[in-house]
Amino acid sequence: PRASVLKAFLKTFWVPLLVSGIWKFIQSFLVLSQPILLYSLIWFLDEDYFPWYYGIVICLGFLFSGAGAAICANLTYHTSIRMGFNFKAAIIASVYKKSIRLSNKAQLKYTQGQITNYMTVDAQRLHDAVPSIHLAWSAPLQIMIALFLLLLLLSFASLGGFIIMLLLIPFNALVARGMGKLRRATLKYTDKRVKLTNEMITGIRVIKFYAWESCFESALGKVRNAELLQIFKTSIIRSLAGFVNKTTPLFVALASFSLYALLGLIFQHLGIRVLVTIPIGTIVGALLPFLNYDGPQSVTLEDDFNLTAQKAFTALSLFNILHSPLALLPAMLSSLTEARVSIRRIGAFLNEE
């Protein structure tokens, strides 16, 4: 049976992978709790039926959620980086062990330069991809929860943000596919360059004796220029994807706020009333279960589509939360795509005779 690098990774590192995933989940929960705390704080300042100590509890919630999120983020990063270094060391050792046991037939297929690339370039790509594993599920989770909270906050106006977010899905898919193709092309030229360099070093006496330096220099330069062209294309795509994803929260906020104000004008002109029931007792019981809340259990408000400070600041907080996963999404897709290519290359080598 053919060995799988991915299965071996999961079987070996499932414990630190699970631990770092738990820390990442807690961090995501704490980050998403901050807009809710902000909404509760502004609500507390606007209304007079909350006890005075509710404000202190909410401020302490800000403190512990911020500190807890930072601690969990560092623990996640530390565990992932250690796991990445161990994975890289295991890949280097496995490739080296396989290289000295290759059959004569397999040795004809792989040059010393290719094997060196497996232990350097591909192993480094796998090391860099390990911290991005949890972003593959935590980033979409944060985006979906933040958009759901925006739907509760801005009602139908959040559909403007939803539409912009949906437009990013095919864009990121195209970016990931393009990055994968460029990565494979870059590795092909890298293998050629390393192979040619090793041949030059091996036969340097003959090259110097016949004065072939300019010929080999020209050949090596052509391969290097082709490799640099692929790297340049990759950088252009990565920069374009980063620009689009960094400006997305701004356009999402602009579209949502503009649509919210427009709906307010339309409903006011047509005489349509939108009533929203907020279960205060349920929210306070979920956030502060140790407090004895004796206020109203629910409040029915009329959404006049007036962009108040409570809605605006909470919405901006949610948009800021959207910024981080959206900014990391292209890098995560690029890293995992490159790691997929490297896993296939290393797996094909390790499964040789």
Side-chain angles (χ1 to χ4, degrees):
R2 293 177 61 85
S4 173
V5 177
L6 183 59
K7 290 182 179 179
F9 168 75
L10 295 176
K11 185 178 180 180
T12 305
F13 299 103
W14 70 271
V15 174
L17 189 64
L18 178 62
V19 172
S20 58
I22 293 174
W23 289 124
K24 185 64 177 177
F25 178 79
I26 297 174
Q27 184 232 349
S28 301
F29 172 77
L30 292 175
V31 168
L32 290 169
S33 67
Q34 293 178 3
I36 301 176
L37 291 171
L38 178 61
Y39 187 89
S40 303
L41 180 61
I42 301 176
W43 195 357
F44 167 77
L45 296 175
D46 289 341
E47 304 295 338
D48 56 356
Y49 48 76
F50 289 104
W52 62 269
Y53 55 84
Y54 271 45
I56 298 177
V57 173
I58 293 174
C59 292
L60 291 176
F62 273 113
L63 174 63
F64 288 116
S65 64
I71 292 173
C72 291
N74 283 310
L75 288 173
T76 302
Y77 183 74
H78 177 260
T79 307
S80 300
I81 288 297
R82 285 176 58 90
M83 185 167 47
F85 276 117
N86 292 332
F87 187 33
K88 178 182 177 180
I91 289 295
I92 294 175
S94 299
V95 171
Y96 178 76
K97 185 177 180 180
K98 184 67 178 182
S99 65
I100 61 179
R101 296 184 178 183
L102 284 176
S103 62
N104 293 330
K105 180 181 178 181
Q107 288 180 1
L108 298 176
K109 296 172 58 178
Y110 297 94
T111 64
Q112 189 64 37
Q114 287 178 300
I115 298 175
T116 302
N117 274 340
Y118 295 152
M119 292 189 293
T120 54
V121 178
D122 291 294
Q124 184 63 39
R125 294 295 180 186
L126 295 179
H127 165 268
D128 296 338
V130 171
S132 301
I133 293 176
H134 293 302
L135 288 175
W137 61 265
S138 63
L141 178 65
Q142 288 187 5
I143 291 172
M144 288 188 295
I145 295 178
L147 289 177
F148 175 73
L149 294 176
L150 283 171
L151 180 62
L152 296 178
L153 187 66
L154 300 179
S155 184
F156 309 106
S158 59
L159 292 177
F162 274 117
I163 294 174
I164 295 178
M165 297 292 296
L166 290 176
L167 292 177
L168 281 180
I169 296 177
F171 174 77
N172 286 320
L174 292 175
V175 168
R177 183 180 301 178
M179 294 290 290
K181 292 181 179 179
L182 289 173
R183 179 60 188 159
R184 288 189 291 270
T186 303
L187 289 174
K188 182 181 69 175
Y189 288 115
T190 302
D191 291 340
K192 289 183 179 180
R193 175 176 58 80
V194 175
K195 177 183 177 181
L196 184 58
T197 303
N198 289 332
E199 292 176 353
M200 291 175 58
I201 295 175
T202 303
I204 190 63
R205 290 186 178 180
V206 178
I207 294 174
K208 298 295 289 184
F209 182 79
Y210 288 101
W212 288 341
E213 295 94 335
S214 58
C215 298
F216 277 89
E217 182 181 359
S218 176
L220 184 61
K222 290 180 180 179
V223 177
R224 180 56 177 168
N225 289 334
E227 181 185 8
L228 289 176
L229 179 60
Q230 302 302 319
I231 296 175
F232 176 74
K233 292 179 181 179
T234 304
S235 301
I236 292 296
I237 294 179
R238 185 180 290 115
S239 300
L240 178 62
F243 171 78
V244 170
N245 285 277
K246 283 183 179 296
T247 56
T248 296
L250 174 63
F251 290 110
V252 169
L254 180 62
S256 298
F257 288 157
S258 301
L259 186 58
Y260 191 75
L262 180 61
L263 286 176
L265 293 175
I266 294 175
F267 288 166
Q268 183 179 5
H269 178 72
L270 298 177
I272 299 176
R273 298 177 61 193
V274 179
L275 300 178
V276 180
T277 301
I278 302 176
I280 301 179
T282 304
I283 296 175
V284 174
L287 294 177
L288 309 170
F290 52 88
L291 294 179
N292 185 18
Y293 175 72
D294 55 358
Q297 294 300 312
S298 63
V299 173
T300 300
L301 302 176
E302 180 179 355
D303 192 350
D304 56 356
F305 288 87
N306 183 23
L307 194 61
T308 61
Q310 188 177 16
K311 296 177 181 178
F313 284 110
T314 307
L316 287 175
S317 178
L318 289 170
F319 289 137
N320 288 332
I321 290 177
L322 284 174
H323 174 76
S324 179
L326 285 175
L328 295 175
L329 208 56
M332 180 269 294
L333 291 174
S334 173
S335 180
L336 293 181
T337 303
E338 293 176 353
R340 182 184 178 186
V341 175
S342 297
I343 284 177
R344 289 181 177 179
R345 284 162 51 89
I346 294 175
F349 175 75
L350 295 179
N351 282 289
E352 289 290 345
E353 298 178 357

